[in-house]
Amino acid sequence: MDENKLDEELKKLWEEKPMIHSDHTKEDSWEEFRSRAFSSKKKNVVWRRYAAAAAVIVMLAGTGLYLTKEPLKTESLIAGNVIENTTSKVKTIFLPDSSRVELSPASKIEYTADFSVNRKIALEGEAYFKVKKDKKHPFQVFCKETTTTVLGTSFIVKEYNQKGVVVELYEGSVQMNVKGQEKNWILKPGEKFTYGEGAVTVADFERFMDFDNEKLNAVTAYVESNYGYQLILPETYHDKRITLRINKKEDLKTIVQLISEMYNLNFEVNEALKQITFQ
């Protein structure tokens, strides 16, 4: 079957289903599909691939999508990869765009198969997100009736009760939306968004841990409690005093390097034992 004949047959398939869109919309959609399927680089593609393309047209027509440029519904986009944390410890996940997720116990995320261009995640439970900046592809987290939209930042999203959601912003900026409400809320670092029973509140929260002229071993105890790593310092440093402010979601690497530079110490990391030894 030559290309012109095939073109005619496929167009017949396209028009067999009753269309609810206008003729103009259908024609635009058909031309978009045709330009892709019959580009000059694809003339030698075997028939079975054209047959598959025709099957796709029929399937899409049955769903009412018709290859239009209208955005798909959110529910259709959240499908692809599912990761669940069934352990009792926080699980660290690196997404395809290099963003980091710290998934709390009894929590689950689901993200799109084409995540590099469609950065959408559905969350159940609680997670901390450290988002890789990408101005062309906003990062969205869907949790119950809320949507958190960012370009690059760090924040926590967590469910509470049956319908409630809390978002705590540590860095950058996020926009909050609630299903069925036209208003949106722009959060600044240190602000907490709470949604429950149809109501929204935005309030400050403490995102820093302060050490004011405290012994250095107070910092090592904090790191062990919150990051799971033991910091081993020379005994002569245990009583040294330190004044320090730490973002509660600061990377452990940054904290370790800071201590190293402040006291002119080298360090070694033993991942197997979860120990960091300074000397």
Side-chain angles (χ1 to χ4, degrees):
M1 183 179 292
D2 62 32
E3 183 178 312
N4 291 334
K5 179 84 170 175
L6 181 59
D7 190 357
E8 293 174 2
E9 291 299 321
L10 283 175
K11 193 163 186 178
K12 288 179 182 178
L13 282 173
W14 175 264
E15 295 175 341
E16 278 180 3
K17 295 282 183 178
M19 299 292 181
I20 60 172
H21 290 68
S22 68
D23 290 341
H24 178 71
T25 301
K26 290 189 293 183
E27 193 63 32
D28 285 349
S29 298
W30 165 253
E31 290 301 331
E32 181 179 347
F33 167 76
R34 184 179 181 280
S35 65
R36 292 180 181 177
F38 301 111
S39 66
S40 58
K41 295 181 180 179
K42 298 181 180 179
K43 289 183 178 179
N44 296 323
V45 179
V46 293
W47 161 251
R48 62 177 176 273
R49 290 187 60 185
Y50 288 126
V56 170
I57 294 174
V58 175
M59 178 186 70
L60 291 178
T63 63
L65 300 182
Y66 303 105
L67 295 177
T68 68
K69 296 181 180 180
E70 299 171 4
L72 302 180
K73 292 183 178 179
T74 297
E75 295 84 354
S76 301
L77 294 171
I78 304 300
N81 301 280
V82 178
I83 299 176
E84 189 169 2
N85 187 0
T86 58
T87 72
S88 60
K89 297 182 179 180
V90 172
K91 184 175 184 178
T92 300
I93 301 153
F94 288 93
L95 298 171
D97 67 343
S98 298
S99 294
R100 187 176 85 240
V101 181
E102 294 178 9
L103 191 61
S104 296
S107 299
K108 180 174 72 174
I109 59 170
E110 183 173 1
Y111 60 92
T112 56
D114 57 344
F115 189 80
S116 60
V117 295
N118 188 20
R119 302 199 301 169
K120 299 180 186 294
I121 291 183
L123 168 68
E124 295 180 14
E126 177 178 346
Y128 168 72
F129 296 88
K130 182 76 172 181
V131 178
K132 186 77 171 180
K133 290 185 179 179
D134 184 346
K135 293 182 179 180
K136 293 182 179 179
H137 304 107
F139 189 106
Q140 290 185 303
V141 178
F142 301 91
C143 186
K144 292 187 174 176
E145 296 181 346
T146 68
T147 302
T148 305
T149 303
V150 304
L151 292 176
T153 186
S154 62
F155 57 96
I156 287 176
V157 179
K158 52 189 173 184
E159 295 180 313
Y160 76 93
N161 298 331
Q162 292 185 342
K163 294 185 178 181
V165 174
V166 172
V167 175
E168 296 176 347
L169 180 63
Y170 285 85
E171 297 175 0
S173 177
V174 301
Q175 175 179 298
M176 298 302 308
N177 294 85
V178 175
K179 185 177 180 180
Q181 297 190 27
E182 293 185 4
K183 183 179 178 180
N184 59 55
W185 294 262
I186 306 297
L187 302 188
K188 298 179 295 185
E191 289 187 332
K192 177 173 69 174
F193 171 96
T194 303
Y195 171 75
E197 298 181 353
V200 169
T201 60
V202 177
D204 293 337
F205 77 98
E206 186 50 69
R207 62 189 173 114
F208 293 107
M209 180 66 186
D210 290 316
F211 299 90
D212 186 11
N213 196 32
E214 296 186 47
K215 290 183 178 181
L216 189 54
N217 59 13
V219 178
T220 64
Y222 173 80
V223 168
E224 186 170 358
S225 174
N226 290 274
Y227 295 87
Y229 281 77
Q230 182 183 12
L231 300 188
I232 302 174
L233 292 159
E235 189 173 346
T236 55
Y237 284 78
H238 289 183
D239 291 332
K240 286 189 177 293
R241 298 281 176 172
I242 188 170
T243 297
L244 183 66
R245 165 168 279 197
I246 299 176
N247 185 317
K248 290 181 179 179
K249 299 306 294 186
E250 187 62 79
D251 289 342
L252 176 59
K253 182 179 179 181
T254 301
I255 299 173
V256 171
Q257 288 178 336
L258 182 61
I259 294 174
S260 173
E261 292 174 6
M262 288 178 68
Y263 296 99
N264 196 27
L265 294 170
N266 295 320
F267 63 89
E268 292 182 353
V269 180
N270 187 323
E271 287 291 350
L273 298 177
K274 298 294 184 182
Q275 291 180 341
I276 302 173
T277 303
F278 292 86
Q279 51 191 346

